[in-house]
Amino acid sequence: MNPVVALTVAGSDSGGGAGLQADLHTFAAFGVHGTSAVTAVTVQNTVGVTGVHEIPPPLVADQIRVVVEDMRPGAVKTGMLASAPIIEAIGAAFRRHGIGRGGSVPLVLDPVCASMHGDPLLRADALSALRGLFAAATVVTPNLDETALLVGTRDQRDAARALLALGPAYALVKGGHGDGPRSRDLLTDGTTELWLDAARIDTGNTHGSGDTLAAAITARLAGGDSLPDAVAAAKRYVTRAVATSYSVGSGHGPVGHPPASDPVAPPGPAGPGSEAGAAPAAVGAS
Ligand SMILES: Nc1ncnc2c1ncn2[C@@H]1O[C@H](COP(=O)(O)OP(=O)(O)O)[C@@H](O)[C@H]1O
Ligand SMILES: Cc1ncc(COP(=O)(O)O)c(N)n1
């Protein structure tokens, strides 16, 4: 039976802990076939990022095109987008292929600006292009360093309000980098508020945690979950991922990717490839 498909549009982490490598591990853990459009190759290990090579924008858009035309992902995620021209090419490709709000394929937008080591992954002049992509997102998933850059506040409620004014259906503001005993993320659509709460696990090996959370949301959306259900499942998964993190190299080790306890069921007999199953699931995109 054909599996559900998801697409990540993200940078490569040569150290294998974050970026599209973490996304593909996460998709696999949910039983979802992962596809990728590479935006940039980073020269990266557990200690930091020492180089970035951006992929030409038309090549990024072409990777999206061939995957969408042939494999019909049920949901799409973005991570490191590197530059304004790449973001503009991606935005145009999303509009063309019905990805994001206004289309039928939900979009999870993780507004990656820097690595956990503090190394930049987005050009400083690309912030406004990134904000411009928010209106297409089903959900945006910034951490507090990113909300400070994008909307000028580290308060989770204030940040969510300012993010929603930019047009996404939901904001998920992560609180994971605080020092308290709990790890609390706020999900809101402006009307309802859901606090996702877990015990903070005492480890420095959280490389790729943000990518893993957003990729898990994407996998569950591709399987047909509502956005709140997908986020709740993803929070449970990332907590297990942090709990199974490990040391490798001399810096921050990666989170683990254990098999999901609630994998995504493949579509019924009328799966992708048959006429009836050919359209991507219209879930949570508006
Ligand atoms: N030490 C930890 N223990 C438990 N959960 C964590 C821990 N660190 C991060 N998380 C969770 O992992 C997810 C990703 O958060 P975060 O690490 O802030 O993302 P990012 O990688 O974008 O900075 C969030 O749900 C966050 O609450
Ligand atoms: C290519 C790429 N994408 C995303 C991240 C963010 O992950 P983290 O915040 O864990 O460093 C990264 N370091 N590299």
Side-chain angles (χ1 to χ4, degrees), residues 11-13 18-20 42 44 49 80 112 114-117 121 206-211:
S12 163
D13 169 4
L20 66 88
T42 69
Q44 183 171 179
V49 181
M80 173 190 182
V112 173
S115 74
M116 71 181 296
H117 327 91
L121 298 174
T206 57
H207 192 40
S209 56
D211 309 77

Tab-separated table of all heavy atoms in Angstrom, residues 11-13 18-20 42 44 49 80 112 114-117 121 206-211, ligand 2:
chain	number	residue	atom	x	y	z
A	11	GLY	N	17.265	23.302	4.787
A	11	GLY	CA	18.700	23.198	4.565
A	11	GLY	C	19.234	21.855	5.026
A	11	GLY	O	18.626	21.178	5.866
A	12	SER	N	20.391	21.485	4.469
A	12	SER	CA	21.059	20.246	4.873
A	12	SER	C	22.022	20.534	6.024
A	12	SER	O	22.779	21.504	5.979
A	12	SER	CB	21.834	19.675	3.680
A	12	SER	OG	22.777	18.718	4.126
A	13	ASP	N	22.006	19.679	7.041
A	13	ASP	CA	22.963	19.747	8.160
A	13	ASP	C	23.928	18.589	7.993
A	13	ASP	O	23.548	17.425	8.195
A	13	ASP	CB	22.187	19.654	9.482
A	13	ASP	CG	23.100	19.446	10.697
A	13	ASP	OD1	24.333	19.454	10.542
A	13	ASP	OD2	22.551	19.268	11.805
A	18	ALA	N	20.038	18.203	12.578
A	18	ALA	CA	18.924	19.135	12.382
A	18	ALA	C	18.588	19.196	10.887
A	18	ALA	O	18.920	18.293	10.120
A	18	ALA	CB	19.297	20.522	12.925
A	19	GLY	N	17.901	20.283	10.496
A	19	GLY	CA	17.626	20.498	9.083
A	19	GLY	C	16.842	19.363	8.445
A	19	GLY	O	16.080	18.662	9.102
A	20	LEU	N	17.064	19.190	7.140
A	20	LEU	CA	16.242	18.211	6.421
A	20	LEU	C	16.532	16.784	6.888
A	20	LEU	O	15.661	15.909	6.776
A	20	LEU	CB	16.435	18.355	4.903
A	20	LEU	CG	17.796	18.018	4.310
A	20	LEU	CD1	17.898	16.540	3.959
A	20	LEU	CD2	17.992	18.851	3.053
A	42	THR	N	24.626	23.383	4.494
A	42	THR	CA	25.436	23.984	5.551
A	42	THR	C	26.623	23.083	5.868
A	42	THR	O	26.542	21.859	5.752
A	42	THR	CB	24.639	24.219	6.858
A	42	THR	OG1	24.334	22.961	7.460
A	42	THR	CG2	23.368	25.018	6.611
A	44	GLN	N	28.334	21.963	8.813
A	44	GLN	CA	27.863	22.009	10.201
A	44	GLN	C	28.208	20.712	10.925
A	44	GLN	O	28.162	19.623	10.350
A	44	GLN	CB	26.335	22.219	10.183
A	44	GLN	CG	25.685	22.369	11.516
A	44	GLN	CD	24.203	22.790	11.467
A	44	GLN	OE1	23.578	22.919	12.487
A	44	GLN	NE2	23.648	23.019	10.296
A	49	VAL	N	28.152	26.055	12.817
A	49	VAL	CA	28.024	26.150	11.357
A	49	VAL	C	29.180	27.011	10.855
A	49	VAL	O	29.333	28.159	11.268
A	49	VAL	CB	26.687	26.814	10.970
A	49	VAL	CG1	26.528	26.901	9.459
A	49	VAL	CG2	25.509	26.058	11.587
A	80	MET	N	15.071	26.034	7.235
A	80	MET	CA	16.038	27.064	6.834
A	80	MET	C	15.788	27.482	5.383
A	80	MET	O	15.851	26.654	4.472
A	80	MET	CB	17.459	26.497	6.954
A	80	MET	CG	18.517	27.418	6.401
A	80	MET	SD	20.125	26.588	6.308
A	80	MET	CE	21.130	27.954	5.691
A	112	VAL	N	13.149	29.411	10.753
A	112	VAL	CA	14.520	29.215	11.233
A	112	VAL	C	15.367	30.444	10.888
A	112	VAL	O	15.456	30.838	9.719
A	112	VAL	CB	15.120	27.953	10.574
A	112	VAL	CG1	16.594	27.820	10.911
A	112	VAL	CG2	14.353	26.711	10.986
A	114	ALA	N	18.504	31.042	12.989
A	114	ALA	CA	19.880	30.745	13.434
A	114	ALA	C	19.923	29.334	13.979
A	114	ALA	O	18.888	28.761	14.349
A	114	ALA	CB	20.297	31.730	14.526
A	115	SER	N	21.109	28.759	14.066
A	115	SER	CA	21.253	27.443	14.688
A	115	SER	C	21.280	27.609	16.201
A	115	SER	O	21.418	28.724	16.715
A	115	SER	CB	22.550	26.779	14.228
A	115	SER	OG	23.641	27.413	14.872
A	116	MET	N	21.183	26.505	16.927
A	116	MET	CA	21.197	26.600	18.393
A	116	MET	C	22.547	27.104	18.901
A	116	MET	O	22.651	27.528	20.051
A	116	MET	CB	20.847	25.241	19.027
A	116	MET	CG	21.920	24.183	18.901
A	116	MET	SD	21.405	22.618	19.655
A	116	MET	CE	21.243	23.081	21.373
A	117	HIS	N	23.570	27.075	18.052
A	117	HIS	CA	24.878	27.605	18.446
A	117	HIS	C	24.945	29.120	18.235
A	117	HIS	O	25.945	29.754	18.543
A	117	HIS	CB	25.990	26.949	17.620
A	117	HIS	CG	25.719	25.528	17.230
A	117	HIS	ND1	25.081	25.170	16.049
A	117	HIS	CD2	25.965	24.376	17.877
A	117	HIS	CE1	24.964	23.854	15.993
A	117	HIS	NE2	25.478	23.343	17.085
A	121	LEU	N	21.341	31.378	9.930
A	121	LEU	CA	20.889	30.484	8.861
A	121	LEU	C	19.956	31.220	7.906
A	121	LEU	O	19.424	30.632	6.968
A	121	LEU	CB	20.175	29.263	9.463
A	121	LEU	CG	21.046	28.368	10.361
A	121	LEU	CD1	20.200	27.268	11.013
A	121	LEU	CD2	22.207	27.742	9.581
A	206	THR	N	19.841	18.828	22.412
A	206	THR	CA	18.525	19.142	21.828
A	206	THR	C	18.665	19.633	20.392
A	206	THR	O	17.761	20.279	19.863
A	206	THR	CB	17.785	20.206	22.661
A	206	THR	OG1	18.622	21.365	22.743
A	206	THR	CG2	17.451	19.698	24.050
A	207	HIS	N	19.788	19.316	19.757
A	207	HIS	CA	19.968	19.733	18.360
A	207	HIS	C	18.881	19.066	17.508
A	207	HIS	O	18.709	17.846	17.560
A	207	HIS	CB	21.360	19.297	17.897
A	207	HIS	CG	21.775	19.898	16.591
A	207	HIS	ND1	21.523	21.211	16.228
A	207	HIS	CD2	22.454	19.358	15.546
A	207	HIS	CE1	22.028	21.434	15.027
A	207	HIS	NE2	22.587	20.333	14.588
A	208	GLY	N	18.147	19.883	16.754
A	208	GLY	CA	17.103	19.352	15.879
A	208	GLY	C	15.737	19.228	16.543
A	208	GLY	O	14.792	18.734	15.914
A	209	SER	N	15.577	19.714	17.785
A	209	SER	CA	14.272	19.556	18.461
A	209	SER	C	13.176	20.351	17.763
A	209	SER	O	12.045	19.870	17.603
A	209	SER	CB	14.355	19.960	19.941
A	209	SER	OG	14.846	21.277	20.060
A	210	GLY	N	13.494	21.573	17.335
A	210	GLY	CA	12.486	22.399	16.662
A	210	GLY	C	12.075	21.803	15.319
A	210	GLY	O	10.885	21.775	14.967
A	211	ASP	N	13.057	21.311	14.575
A	211	ASP	CA	12.763	20.683	13.275
A	211	ASP	C	11.893	19.442	13.485
A	211	ASP	O	10.947	19.192	12.734
A	211	ASP	CB	14.060	20.251	12.581
A	211	ASP	CG	15.079	21.358	12.518
A	211	ASP	OD1	15.717	21.621	13.548
A	211	ASP	OD2	15.219	21.977	11.456
B	2	LIG	C1	20.209	23.193	8.183
B	2	LIG	C2	19.701	23.528	9.540
B	2	LIG	N1	18.380	23.781	9.707
B	2	LIG	C3	17.897	24.085	10.934
B	2	LIG	C4	18.738	24.148	12.025
B	2	LIG	C5	18.171	24.535	13.380
B	2	LIG	O1	18.295	23.522	14.354
B	2	LIG	P1	18.905	23.833	15.812
B	2	LIG	O2	18.132	25.017	16.362
B	2	LIG	O3	18.657	22.589	16.589
B	2	LIG	O4	20.362	24.147	15.614
B	2	LIG	C6	20.112	23.886	11.820
B	2	LIG	N2	21.001	23.950	12.829
B	2	LIG	N3	20.555	23.596	10.560
